[in-house]
Amino acid sequence: MHFDSFAFGIIGAGTIANLHAEAIRAAGHRVARVCDVRPQAAERLAAEYGATAATDHRALLSDTTIDGVIITAPHALHAPLALDALAAGKHVLLEKPIATTHADAVMLAGAAATASVTLAVGHVLHFVPSHIAAHDLLRAGAIGDIRLVVERRASNYAEGSRPEWFFDPVVAGGGIVLNVGTHAIDRIQWFADARIRRVSGAVSARPGSEVETDAAALFELEGGGHASLTVTGTGLGFVEQIAVIGDRGALTVDREAGVQVFVGGERTVHVPVQPDEMAAAFTAQIHDVVEAARTGREPRVGVDYAAGVLDAALAVYSSSEIGASVTVTSEVAA
Ligand SMILES: NC(=O)c1ccc[n+]([C@@H]2O[C@H](COP(=O)([O-])OP(=O)(O)OC[C@H]3O[C@@H](n4cnc5c(N)ncnc54)[C@H](O)[C@@H]3O)[C@@H](O)[C@H]2O)c1
């Protein structure tokens, strides 16, 4: 295989597939095939990119001209589809969350370890320019040692707000924690440069919802720091804020104000958010996957890291269920 122009297949032609397809084009690569169990969805996206449409992912995977696939299907299908893709020798960019169970994540890690292809997981925040700037500032010691991370997210999680499968606990694997909370857990661990080791969580579902719509959690981080997370789907508008508290000052990121650093009560750094930064992030993510596939180096977000995010999210559920804090012990690295 040579990847001057990498041929991608997309499995799952829903909302986020549009951003990936645009990113593939922007990165100078090609959407060659699109698959969706809904034929019209596959055909619509395929037509836009001059690709071939299919309704069975096995047809896409048996095409030897496809170098890699992007899996943008419902959560419970992530692991089985990725396993099929790895077995077919395709490089894989798998949307978050890596899986819906720890066992599935372990199985994927095992398959990825023996495969001679790349498996990357789509925790796209690692490619967002403002987030990279914030991460660089934190690593450069702009606020000193990190003591506390406060994550607050809200988005409408009422039925009708997104495709129906998100409200089916079997297909979605959970509700707002697994879907939205995993972005927050990722950001906490990435910014703090520390894994979550212990979790106290409480989740609740709005009446009539089979998946949780609101949750709060307190995390103990390795190295002694702490973090809190609220992720709510009822009543509030869109909120996506993080405050990182260090022993010299604080850093905040939000979609409106961008990145700000406060030391001694004064704002010392301000990095505004670029309007097109999500498109830029999806394109950078494609570049990373292709580069990893080309050189054999690790992708920026690999299977072990993504499994750690999943494990912390699942620990929110188990802690809530038993009414006590739980330890996140899992490691999936081969
Ligand atoms: N990184 C991000 O910021 C971000 C944003 C949105 C969604 N996501 C993730 O992307 C994934 C998809 O979310 P979405 O909002 O696009 O959902 P969606 O429902 O819009 O798209 C999923 C598509 O998969 C199709 N599908 C179902 N079973 C299939 C199968 N067996 N083979 C092929 N296609 C199948 C569905 O018909 C649907 O069109 C989820 O994992 C979600 O968490 C990530």
Side-chain angles (χ1 to χ4, degrees):
M1 273 183 255
H2 59 91
F3 305 130
D4 291 343
S5 172
F6 202 95
F8 276 102
I10 296 179
I11 303 177
T15 313
I16 205 66
N18 294 293
L19 274 182
H20 285 291
E22 199 43 49
I24 289 168
R25 180 145 70 190
H29 301 295
R30 199 159 57 85
V31 181
R33 278 187 181 252
V34 177
C35 162
D36 200 295
V37 288
R38 297 181 298 128
Q40 283 162 344
E43 281 156 20
R44 184 199 56 77
L45 190 62
E48 221 174 299
Y49 289 88
T52 311
T55 52
D56 187 334
H57 72 279
R58 284 164 296 197
L60 186 154
L61 293 177
S62 65
D63 180 343
T64 54
T65 68
I66 300 278
D67 300 305
V69 297
I70 303 189
I71 298 173
T72 45
H75 300 159
L77 297 174
H78 284 190
L81 289 171
L83 286 171
D84 283 356
L86 292 174
K90 306 300 183 196
H91 301 286
V92 178
L93 170 58
L94 174 60
E95 258 300 348
K96 46 61 59 178
I98 182 171
T100 53
T101 67
H102 176 70
D104 273 1
V106 169
M107 211 175 352
L108 259 184
T114 54
S116 53
V117 287
T118 294
L119 172 58
V121 183
H123 284 291
V124 72
L125 293 183
H126 294 247
F127 300 93
V128 175
S130 60
H131 284 64
I132 293 170
H135 184 259
D136 288 350
L137 284 161
L138 291 168
R139 289 298 84 78
I143 61 166
D145 286 345
I146 295 169
R147 303 277 169 230
L148 182 67
V149 185
V150 179
E151 259 280 357
R152 184 168 161 255
R153 288 180 183 243
S155 63
N156 178 10
Y157 227 77
E159 298 242 3
S161 62
R162 58 201 78 224
E164 248 170 50
W165 65 263
F166 280 102
F167 302 95
D168 177 336
V170 174
V171 184
I176 198 164
V177 171
L178 201 66
N179 186 24
V180 179
T182 43
H183 286 299
I185 288 169
D186 167 29
R187 191 159 67 166
I188 288 168
Q189 297 196 128
W190 182 42
F191 278 11
D193 194 23
R195 288 216 174 178
I196 291 167
R197 290 303 181 204
R198 200 160 176 82
V199 177
S200 296
V203 306
S204 73
R206 195 184 18 243
S209 176
E210 283 190 67
V211 297
E212 87 285 353
T213 52
D214 305 274
L218 189 62
F219 301 125
E220 289 177 30
L221 303 172
E222 66 187 358
H226 289 81
S228 71
L229 166 67
T230 56
V231 55
T232 59
T234 309
L236 299 172
F238 184 80
V239 178
E240 194 182 284
Q241 296 169 339
I242 187 168
V244 186
I245 314 302
D247 51 17
R248 280 190 350 100
L251 176 147
T252 60
V253 185
D254 68 52
R255 282 239 177 137
E256 289 75 40
V259 181
Q260 303 182 86
V261 174
F262 301 89
V263 175
E266 299 286 322
R267 188 171 80 177
T268 57
V269 180
H270 180 216
V271 182
V273 171
Q274 301 302 319
D276 59 351
E277 73 166 6
M278 286 317 291
F282 275 84
T283 305
Q285 183 172 241
I286 295 292
H287 282 308
D288 178 66
V289 171
V290 172
E291 184 67 16
R294 251 185 206 141
T295 62
R297 70 149 167 80
E298 286 297 309
R300 200 178 291 179
V301 183
V303 67
D304 178 48
Y305 178 84
V309 173
L310 172 68
D311 287 335
L314 295 177
V316 175
Y317 294 134
S318 44
S319 166
S320 181
E321 206 172 303
I322 65 170
S325 65
V326 298
T327 301
V328 185
T329 49
S330 58
E331 299 290 343
V332 300

